[in-house]
């Protein structure tokens, strides 16, 4: 209840988690996408004049993620 009327203040961090999740038996999506989920999280720092995306430097595209995973799995 204390957050209902709360105000964002500099120094606060929010996590934004949009995602898509396809059920294995969902015939409305192509077969190769069934049973997978995709979520891109961002951590946003509230600043005095807006926000800063703390996760902006992370890989986003499939190629970028695969290249990153190849490097860290080494």
């Amino acid at each position: 209840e204390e957050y209902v009327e709360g105000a964002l203040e500099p120094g606060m961090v929010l996590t934004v988690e949009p995602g898509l999740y396809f059920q294995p038996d969902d015939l409305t999506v192509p077969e190769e996408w069934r049973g997978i989920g995709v979520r891109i999280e961002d951590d946003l720092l509230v600043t005095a004049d807006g926000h800063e995306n703390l996760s902006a430097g992370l890989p986003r595209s499939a190629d970028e993620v695969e290249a990153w995973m190849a490097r860290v799995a080494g």
Side-chain angles (χ1 to χ4, degrees):
E1 291 181 5
E2 65 187 85
Y3 298 111
V4 172
E5 308 256 346
L8 296 176
E9 298 178 13
M12 292 180 168
V13 176
L14 307 170
T15 299
V16 180
E17 302 178 5
L20 298 170
Y21 303 92
F22 302 109
Q23 299 301 313
D25 58 350
D26 187 345
L27 301 178
T28 66
V29 297
E31 187 173 356
E32 65 268 19
W33 294 356
R34 295 178 196 156
I36 68 165
V38 177
R39 181 171 68 199
I40 300 175
E41 287 188 15
D42 278 314
D43 293 320
L44 304 177
L45 170 66
V46 179
T47 64
D49 51 345
H51 71 278
E52 177 184 350
N53 185 344
L54 300 176
S55 50
L58 295 175
R60 299 294 176 164
S61 73
D63 289 340
E64 291 171 335
V65 171
E66 288 176 6
W68 179 74
M69 290 300 296
R71 287 193 306 275
V72 299

